Amino acid sequence: GESVGLHLPTLSVQEGDNSIINCAYSNSASDYFIWYKQESGKGPQFIIDIRSNMDKRQGQRVTVLLNKTVKHLSLQIAATQPGDSAVYFCAENMRGSQGNLIFGKGTKLSVKP
Amino acid sequence: ETGVTQSPTHLIKTRGQQVTLRCSSQSGHNTVSWYQQALGQGPQFIFQYYREEENGRGNFPPRFSGLQFPNYSSELNVNALELDDSALYLCASRGGGTGGPVLEQYFGPGTRLTVT
């Protein structure tokens, strides 16, 4: 079935470097995508979103890129900090699904000091 | 913190038993969704409640059921527990009814259920 998945299960970066987390999706009916951060013992926390009619969106230290041609989503974190260590999920919202999100498996980001 | 609370934090049950998990929505939020998150996996949508009625369901059997109360708090009930039900159960609340923006969906910390 259609699903959201991630290319890499783990990512280790040096503090201060930029991080890029990738996600592939297969549902062309999705109208927007969300990146969540989940720290140990906590629920997913909203980071940034992007609608399907956009290619790029920037937040504070984060940028999300959407390539609809190859159905690829990425999250870029600038100047990665130890507090960024967590599991990151992309999620898609299918148009008309009444807000029920489809999550990928997640990428664990580890930041080395 | 999101304002969404869940209880209990952890729970251990035996296969075949029944369990009830509770969620208190963020103030003003009238829609609640429940997700199951197996270890090392992303959350999977179970169902959604709005105005005390289920109005969306994922691929989960009928032994997963829920309730939403007039104060918008919610319960997830699982009957005849199986070992594979061991997971983190998350609830998420949002306002605006079923058409409310998912972007403003806030997750609770979850209940860790272990079935032995």
Side-chain angles (χ1 to χ4, degrees), chain A residues 4-11 21-24 35-38 86-91 102-109, chain B residues 37-38 40-43:
Chain A
V4 172
L6 293 173
H7 294 308
L8 297 173
T10 60
L11 178 64
I21 301 172
N22 296 303
C23 177
W35 281 100
Y36 283 93
K37 172 186 180 183
Q38 187 173 25
V87 178
Y88 289 81
F89 294 95
C90 64
I102 301 173
F103 284 80
K105 287 187 176 182
T107 292
K108 182 177 181 180
L109 176 64
Chain B
Q37 186 177 21
Q41 304 291 318

Side-chain angles (χ1 to χ4, degrees), chain B residues 2-45:
Chain B
T2 64
V4 179
T5 60
Q6 292 186 243
S7 63
T9 306
H10 297 87
L11 197 57
I12 299 175
K13 288 286 189 177
T14 303
R15 188 172 50 184
Q17 287 187 315
Q18 178 268 341
V19 69
T20 297
L21 311 181
R22 295 178 175 83
C23 172
S24 179
S25 301
Q26 180 159 315
S27 178
H29 284 186
N30 55 15
T31 303
V32 64
S33 298
W34 284 90
Y35 290 81
Q36 179 195 67
Q37 186 177 21
L39 194 63
Q41 304 291 318
Q44 279 195 297
F45 173 73

Side-chain angles (χ1 to χ4, degrees), chain B:
Chain B
E1 300 301 323
T2 64
V4 179
T5 60
Q6 292 186 243
S7 63
T9 306
H10 297 87
L11 197 57
I12 299 175
K13 288 286 189 177
T14 303
R15 188 172 50 184
Q17 287 187 315
Q18 178 268 341
V19 69
T20 297
L21 311 181
R22 295 178 175 83
C23 172
S24 179
S25 301
Q26 180 159 315
S27 178
H29 284 186
N30 55 15
T31 303
V32 64
S33 298
W34 284 90
Y35 290 81
Q36 179 195 67
Q37 186 177 21
L39 194 63
Q41 304 291 318
Q44 279 195 297
F45 173 73
I46 302 175
F47 46 52
Q48 174 177 276
Y49 275 79
Y50 171 64
R51 289 185 174 178
E52 303 175 48
E53 291 190 358
E54 181 184 305
N55 73 342
R57 190 177 185 94
N59 188 27
F60 281 82
R63 60 188 185 85
F64 286 79
S65 63
L67 286 172
Q68 186 184 30
F69 300 99
N71 66 354
Y72 305 136
S73 64
S74 175
E75 289 183 352
L76 165 65
N77 299 289
V78 187
N79 293 323
L81 284 166
E82 301 177 359
L83 297 179
D84 286 348
D85 295 333
S86 295
L88 180 69
Y89 288 85
L90 297 160
C91 77
S93 74
R94 59 191 173 94
T98 58
V102 174
L103 307 179
E104 297 178 11
Q105 179 168 247
Y106 297 99
F107 283 86
T111 293
R112 174 70 64 186
L113 172 66
T114 302
V115 182
T116 62

